[in-house]
Amino acid sequence: MKTIQFGQYRLDLTNECLWQGTRAISLRPKAFAVLKTLVEKAGQLVKTQELLDAVWPGTFVGDAVLKGCILQLREALEDSAASPRYIETVHRRGYRFIGGDAEAAENDPERKAQRGSMAVRDSASRTIQHAPGEIQVGVLGRDAELAKLLEWLERVGAGERQTIFVTGEAGIGKTTLVEAFLEQARQAPGTLVVRGQCLEHFGSGEAYLPVLDGFSRLCRSAEGARALEILREQAPSWLAHMSWLAAPAERESLQSRSLGTRERMLREMADAIERLSDHYPVLLVLEDLHWSDYSTLDLIAHLARRRDKACLMILGTYRPVDVILTGHALKDVKRELQAHRLCHEMPLEYLTEDAVAQYLAARCRNNELPSRLRHSIYRRTEGNPLFMVSLVEYLIEEKFIVEEDGRWKLQSELTGIEAAVPSSVRELIEKQMERLSADERRVLEAASATGMEFSIVAVAAGLDMPTEWVEQHCEELARRHEFLTGGWLGELPDGSISPRHQFRHVLYREVPYSLIAPMRRAQIHQRIAERAVEIFREHATEIAAELAMHFEQSRDWPRALHYLVEAARTAYHRSAHHEASRLAARGLEVLPALPETTERAGLEITLRMIQSVSWIAVKGFAALEMEKICALAKELSWMNGRSPQLFNLLALLVLYYKFGGQLQSAEDVARQLMEIAQALDDPALVMEAERAMGSAMVEQGKCGEALEHFNRASGLYAANRNHPYTLTIAHDCKVVSECFAARALWALGDAEQALRRMEGALGFARELSHPASRLFAAHFYAQLHQLRGDAVGAHERAQEVVKLADEYGLDLWQAVGDIDLGWADAELGNREEGIERLRRGIQTYMATGAKLWCPHFLGLLADQLGKAERVEEGLETIRTALNLAETSSEYYPVPELQRIKRDLMRRKRTPIRIASDKNPLFTSVCS
């Protein structure tokens, strides 16, 4: 007899039976075939399709059938998906039999870590927290639902039978919640779980299939002997349908009882279950009831209606969409039970963004992932657990998220993430689309070209069909809860009223869109765009990004470029720098499709300005293609002479020189700005030139002259704040001028006036609701607190910088915030942690290509190193800071750097060598 031994089990290949010692465990033929295939390839990944081909050759079956077999095998082997000993799930790929080396794996740290990772993935949203003496199981985002199920379970213990339906769409986490609940419920000694799963089938399904499946598993478990005896006594007609559980001698007699009437079958099972519940609670768990046979529904209704006390809970799960779509009898059964208050319904909603963050923390432990990644994943999945898990795994597989030196990091830009639809999710949605009519698919595709939220008028324009026809199909899809939400009325800019709908999920929009043929897609976009321009008229710029997308897709390049420029301008002024840079890049890609004209050259300058300044805000100066900016400036100077466009390009050059540590060059170009502004007689450009001149001077220590420039810039602000050409920097001119004025006043010895103007700058930035300007002001305020020695104030402002930088994905300012926060933490007593954060922030900041402010930042680090008694490190750091200041002519921080150096020398207890007053590094900055 050919057998395969693993653990305490033996697989009998001849008789197709599984043995545990001397006890035979019967398996259904297909489940046995699955186990045989896995065992014969022990340790190897067996892909899902490979299993389906091996066990169901030449037959089309869905993954659900295979999952049902795996579930049965795990019940038989007393195995767990979360902590497998025999059958391991390889997420989205297949299964692996690990029984042969299960014990060895327990002592293999790498394998155990891999198992832990698999447990997080397979449970989708489960976390397991260990407390002293106990294990508490929770489900991410489902604490309230889990608590409610446990409350109903307490009532069951008092003899009050309960019927609960857990409902929600595919992937919402119904099974995960049920598993967590059962794990809690099993902690009560003697609790019996009868768990069966309905399977998708074509045509009539086997009567009572999930109930038979559940009792078959129960009878093979440790409590099986008692359950089997009760079935023998109370439900012989049921046992006849599970004859493999009976002894060979009684199988023949059971055959004569297999033709029980409907009433008899219902009565027998009800009696058996209530007999089982005489002493311990019984949980009858029936999953995927949207695929159930009608007989199973009869049993649920029969058990729920009985008035006798019983320690019984019926827990069913189903998808409402499938029930509505197929007209399944479950809908009527549930309504009747609800009408008589005999059941409860627990609809599961999407997870919150906090739950997504918790999942990321569990899946990618010790991570340095920015919060904007969490925002992006939440936007893409809207909290659907299946979509969320699939997307995170996709990001890991595609190396968007990588693990380096034990820490998880974001490796790529979020643009790829925001366009990702994992294959498993795509297949699920495409399968749902196959059930729609041809007209419904047409409407859905045209709606997907419009956007997440759309008006019937836009879809009708895209299809060139009557609005009534489109509305009818949208209402029907919404009624069935398929793809679309219920409609509402919205007013269009021309005063007309149009019904509106929204896709239930962003991926429900993107998958249909990807299925539209290219030529048809272009026609739909063109019709939608032209209708929108007609409706919005002079307000069309309000939807510039939307119109740009439509005209791009229809290859109407002139109008696409026009609206891309408008959309990029809007995003830029809102400090949405990631979006602004992407829109500008799209515009630059469209440019070659247009003929070379002066107008096109002007649009290119505007786009490059927006792209460059946005990139500086996001990534710093290392990402800036300065050669292209300089080439454009020379070309424009030759073509047009002095112009607002040339002014903007030179203003960007000032910014580049400043942060590149070329302060004298920055001042020289700022003088050119002043000449152009005065020649054009444009007060708004004069204002910007005054700010540029002052900022270049103050960094060199020319604080008195710089203050005059800042005062003049602030004085011009009120009349020129909305000038169309002020695209030169990402921050509000008055906020910047007031912040720099405060720095100049501090150096000139007027601390009170410096603090007053800094407070005004931050308050004004907050009033503007302009994130980039608020970031700038918060950092400058933190810096002023550092000079004042106010660690608490610096900490508050630094937290503001870090929060805003993280929210808007601005790496340069994230580094600045870390520096400010590191100094404050160190000063407040967390010395070593603060120093480490300071050092990390400085390294990140310098990696962006920025040199400005590095002497000051290094001085902060040197000061804290001295206070930590790391004097030699501090002296080396302060020497580097002073050398950088001399190289770049950044003399503003030098007095503070000299003070820190003297303090370090005192700590070293060596004579202090006084520098010559001819040394420019010792010259007063208060000129």
Side-chain angles (χ1 to χ4, degrees):
M1 181 173 65
K2 186 177 179 181
T3 62
I4 299 176
Q5 183 80 37
F6 58 91
Q8 56 183 314
Y9 297 96
R10 188 172 76 255
L11 194 63
D12 182 348
L13 301 181
T14 303
N15 297 311
E16 296 192 353
C17 184
L18 179 67
W19 294 83
Q20 183 182 26
T22 58
R23 183 172 74 93
I25 302 174
S26 295
L27 295 174
R28 292 183 179 179
K30 294 299 184 185
F32 180 88
V34 170
L35 181 59
K36 176 177 178 289
T37 303
L38 291 172
V39 170
E40 288 176 342
K41 297 186 177 183
Q44 302 176 35
L45 167 65
V46 184
K47 294 184 178 179
T48 299
Q49 192 58 51
E50 186 180 346
L51 273 172
L52 292 173
D53 292 342
V55 180
W56 290 273
T59 306
F60 175 78
V61 294
D63 292 356
V65 177
L66 175 58
K67 289 178 181 177
C69 289
I70 294 294
L71 195 60
Q72 183 187 357
L73 291 174
R74 284 189 171 132
E75 289 281 347
L77 297 170
E78 299 178 355
D79 203 10
S80 164
S83 302
R85 293 183 300 132
Y86 297 106
I87 300 175
E88 182 179 67
T89 300
V90 182
H91 187 64
R92 297 202 315 149
R93 298 176 66 192
Y95 302 90
R96 180 187 290 113
F97 187 79
I98 58 174
D101 63 346
E103 290 76 14
E106 291 302 316
N107 299 316
D108 184 344
E110 183 177 350
R111 188 62 176 272
K112 287 177 74 175
Q114 182 184 11
R115 294 275 185 81
S117 173
M118 289 302 304
V120 172
R121 280 178 274 172
D122 288 344
S123 60
S125 56
R126 175 179 297 182
T127 55
I128 300 179
Q129 301 172 329
H130 296 268
E134 64 176 351
I135 296 178
Q136 298 178 335
V137 180
V139 182
L140 288 179
R142 305 293 186 216
D143 291 341
E145 290 86 349
L146 183 58
K148 191 64 180 177
L149 288 174
L150 293 172
E151 178 187 326
W152 284 324
L153 183 60
E154 288 182 9
R155 298 182 187 178
V156 167
E160 184 179 339
R161 66 178 73 206
Q162 300 289 323
T163 302
I164 297 103
F165 295 106
V166 177
T167 66
E169 65 179 62
I172 201 69
K174 300 183 293 295
T175 299
T176 301
L177 175 62
V178 168
E179 286 180 351
F181 167 66
L182 292 179
E183 199 161 346
Q184 292 264 21
R186 285 189 177 108
Q187 293 179 7
T191 300
L192 297 178
V193 176
V194 183
R195 186 176 185 181
Q197 184 164 15
C198 305
L199 301 179
E200 185 176 14
H201 51 75
F202 303 94
S204 299
E206 181 181 345
Y208 300 112
L209 176 62
V211 184
L212 291 167
D213 184 31
F215 269 93
S216 179
R217 295 176 189 177
L218 175 62
C219 290
R220 289 195 300 268
S221 68
E223 300 87 1
R226 179 174 54 181
L228 185 58
E229 186 59 32
I230 289 176
L231 283 178
R232 187 176 286 113
E233 294 175 3
Q234 302 290 333
S237 60
W238 282 81
L239 188 57
H241 290 277
M242 299 180 283
S243 57
W244 59 86
L245 294 174
E250 66 175 321
R251 288 178 184 173
E252 186 175 344
S253 64
L254 285 173
Q255 293 302 316
S256 62
R257 306 181 184 183
S258 63
L259 298 176
T261 65
R262 170 184 175 276
E263 290 74 17
R264 177 182 172 185
M265 294 284 286
L266 292 176
R267 186 183 65 254
E268 282 188 1
M269 180 49 69
D271 291 344
I273 288 176
E274 290 178 5
R275 174 75 180 277
L276 277 170
S277 70
D278 282 347
H279 303 289
Y280 299 106
V282 173
L283 306 183
L284 176 59
V285 181
L286 303 172
E287 297 190 73
D288 295 329
L289 284 172
H290 49 274
W291 289 328
S292 70
D293 58 278
Y294 290 2
S295 300
T296 298
L297 299 182
D298 284 342
L299 179 62
I300 292 172
H302 183 73
L303 288 168
R305 289 193 194 102
R306 290 178 68 130
R307 298 296 184 182
D308 300 336
K309 282 193 172 184
C311 297
L312 169 65
M313 174 185 280
I314 303 169
L315 182 59
T317 68
Y318 72 87
R319 305 176 197 163
V321 171
D322 292 73
V323 169
I324 295 170
L325 184 65
T326 61
H328 200 283
L330 176 59
K331 178 180 178 182
D332 295 328
V333 170
K334 189 201 71 172
R335 277 183 177 176
E336 184 185 350
L337 294 178
Q338 279 184 320
H340 294 87
R341 298 184 179 180
L342 296 175
C343 74
H344 305 282
E345 183 173 11
M346 179 180 284
L348 298 187
E349 304 296 335
Y350 288 150
L351 299 177
T352 64
E353 188 172 336
D354 287 341
V356 174
Q358 291 176 50
Y359 175 73
L360 270 177
R363 175 64 183 89
C364 304
R365 297 184 184 279
N366 300 319
N367 72 71
E368 297 175 355
L369 301 173
S371 64
R372 66 182 187 278
L373 173 64
R374 178 188 74 212
H375 300 328
S376 182
I377 291 172
Y378 181 70
R379 284 196 303 270
R380 292 292 298 159
T381 65
E382 298 184 9
N384 180 297
L386 173 64
F387 293 177
M388 175 188 70
V389 173
S390 297
L391 181 57
V392 171
E393 293 307 314
Y394 171 84
L395 298 179
I396 292 172
E397 289 174 9
E398 297 298 320
K399 308 298 183 185
F400 287 98
I401 303 172
V402 297
E403 187 177 19
E404 295 178 354
D405 302 324
R407 302 190 72 83
W408 290 88
K409 300 177 181 179
L410 181 64
Q411 186 76 2
S412 304
E413 286 303 311
L414 295 180
T415 49
I417 295 173
E418 292 168 356
V421 182
S423 58
S424 60
V425 175
R426 179 181 296 276
E427 290 166 5
L428 177 68
I429 296 172
E430 287 180 358
K431 187 175 181 181
Q432 291 176 272
M433 286 197 67
E434 289 172 4
R435 302 184 305 194
L436 304 178
S437 69
D439 285 342
E440 287 172 338
R441 284 197 294 271
R442 285 182 63 202
V443 169
L444 208 57
E445 288 170 356
S448 71
T450 304
M452 270 298 290
E453 182 185 313
F454 57 88
S455 72
I456 297 297
V457 169
V459 179
L463 291 174
D464 196 19
M465 293 291 287
T467 55
E468 295 79 8
W469 182 85
V470 173
E471 183 179 3
Q472 177 185 350
H473 288 296
C474 288
E475 287 294 338
E476 177 60 22
L477 287 168
R479 185 190 67 79
R480 299 200 310 252
H481 300 278
E482 285 201 288
F483 291 90
L484 305 180
T485 63
W488 68 97
L489 294 178
E491 184 176 355
L492 298 175
D494 62 1
S496 61
I497 301 296
S498 171
R500 299 186 68 83
H501 286 273
Q502 183 174 342
F503 281 90
R504 298 183 65 83
H505 194 282
V506 65
L507 298 180
Y508 287 155
R509 179 219 166 192
E510 293 185 6
V511 173
Y513 183 75
S514 68
L515 300 176
I516 309 174
M519 184 60 72
R520 182 163 171 266
R521 181 186 302 171
Q523 292 172 346
I524 290 172
H525 279 291
Q526 186 73 21
R527 290 173 186 151
I528 292 172
E530 289 177 348
R531 183 72 175 113
V533 171
E534 181 184 330
I535 291 172
F536 278 80
R537 297 180 184 177
E538 66 273 12
H539 300 287
T541 54
E542 296 175 9
I543 56 168
E546 181 182 335
L547 289 172
M549 180 272 294
H550 287 307
F551 284 123
E552 277 183 286
Q553 292 300 321
S554 66
R555 304 178 71 83
D556 186 340
W557 303 125
R559 286 197 281 186
L561 183 62
H562 170 74
Y563 287 110
L564 280 169
V565 171
E566 292 299 325
R569 276 197 179 115
T570 300
Y572 172 87
H573 286 300
R574 292 174 180 170
S575 298
H577 292 297
H578 285 274
E579 183 65 18
S581 64
R582 286 199 291 268
L583 287 164
R586 281 166 53 190
L588 291 169
E589 289 175 4
V590 168
L591 270 175
L594 275 65
E596 293 187 10
T597 62
T598 304
E599 182 184 2
R600 194 190 92 163
L603 291 175
E604 181 178 1
I605 291 165
T606 300
L607 289 170
R608 291 204 181 278
M609 281 292 303
I610 294 171
Q611 185 185 47
S612 299
V613 177
S614 293
W615 265 110
I616 290 171
V618 174
K619 288 292 182 185
F621 294 85
L624 185 61
E625 296 178 321
M626 206 58 222
E627 316 81 46
K628 292 183 180 179
I629 301 298
C630 292
L632 270 173
K634 290 178 181 178
E635 181 181 354
L636 192 66
S637 177
W638 177 79
M639 289 173 57
N640 298 331
R642 294 166 176 168
S643 66
Q645 291 92 341
L646 179 59
F647 181 93
N648 281 338
L649 285 174
L650 292 178
L652 180 60
L653 199 57
V654 171
L655 202 61
Y656 179 77
Y657 281 143
K658 269 182 55 184
F659 275 85
Q662 302 177 59
L663 292 174
Q664 187 56 56
S665 296
E667 184 179 341
D668 293 341
V669 178
R671 293 189 190 282
Q672 294 180 48
L673 287 180
M674 187 65 74
E675 291 173 5
I676 293 172
Q678 290 172 346
L680 294 172
D681 194 22
D682 189 326
L685 298 186
V686 171
M687 174 185 72
E688 291 286 356
E690 295 281 10
R691 177 208 53 76
M693 182 70 75
S695 64
M697 287 182 167
V698 75
E699 303 294 1
Q700 297 176 76
K702 304 173 184 178
C703 297
E705 192 176 351
L707 183 60
E708 294 177 8
H709 286 290
F710 295 134
N711 288 338
R712 285 196 289 269
S714 292
L716 290 167
Y717 179 82
N720 300 283
R721 60 186 299 179
N722 296 317
H723 194 281
Y725 291 121
T726 54
L727 282 171
T728 51
I729 58 172
H731 311 101
D732 179 81
C733 185
K734 181 175 181 178
V735 171
V736 172
S737 298
E738 290 299 294
C739 286
F740 274 120
R743 290 189 69 198
L745 286 164
W746 174 268
L748 292 167
D750 194 341
E752 183 178 344
Q753 183 69 6
L755 190 61
R756 188 178 301 115
R757 290 187 76 161
M758 190 66 79
E759 287 174 349
L762 181 57
F764 185 63
R766 288 171 176 165
E767 287 177 18
L768 288 174
S769 297
H770 190 250
S773 298
R774 186 177 162 194
L775 262 171
F776 191 93
H779 163 63
F780 266 64
Y781 210 161
Q783 201 170 62
L784 183 60
H785 283 312
Q786 291 161 6
L787 294 170
R788 297 174 63 236
D790 181 357
V792 174
H795 194 274
E796 289 176 356
R797 299 289 72 77
Q799 284 184 316
E800 191 170 357
V801 173
V802 168
K803 181 180 178 181
L804 284 168
D806 185 55
E807 182 178 351
Y808 287 89
L810 307 179
D811 294 352
L812 178 74
W813 288 101
Q814 181 72 59
V816 170
D818 280 338
I819 294 168
D820 293 339
L821 201 56
W823 179 86
D825 283 342
E827 194 71 8
L828 290 170
N830 299 321
R831 190 79 64 192
E832 292 303 322
E833 291 179 15
I835 287 173
E836 179 56 32
R837 187 161 194 166
L838 248 173
R839 193 188 302 278
R840 188 169 64 246
I842 293 171
Q843 289 172 347
T844 303
Y845 178 80
M846 296 179 75
T848 68
K851 293 184 174 63
L852 185 69
W853 304 338
C854 285
H856 172 73
F857 294 152
L858 288 169
L860 297 177
L861 177 60
D863 188 32
Q864 295 304 324
L865 286 169
K867 292 175 180 178
E869 304 302 330
R870 295 160 63 177
V871 177
E872 289 299 332
E873 287 182 70
L875 285 169
E876 181 62 31
T877 302
I878 206 69
R879 279 194 290 269
T880 301
L882 288 166
N883 288 337
L884 282 175
E886 183 175 16
T887 302
S888 64
S889 301
E890 188 179 344
Y891 298 137
Y892 181 89
V894 168
E896 179 67 8
L897 297 179
Q898 292 285 15
R899 182 197 66 76
I900 295 169
K901 182 179 180 180
R902 288 194 295 272
D903 183 68
L904 287 166
M905 297 296 288
R906 287 193 195 96
R907 290 177 184 276
K908 192 178 180 182
R909 292 184 174 83
T910 59
I912 300 172
R913 185 163 55 90
I914 303 297
S916 167
D917 59 3
K918 294 181 181 180
N919 187 331
L921 290 178
F922 197 70
T923 304
S924 172
V925 299
C926 302
S927 57

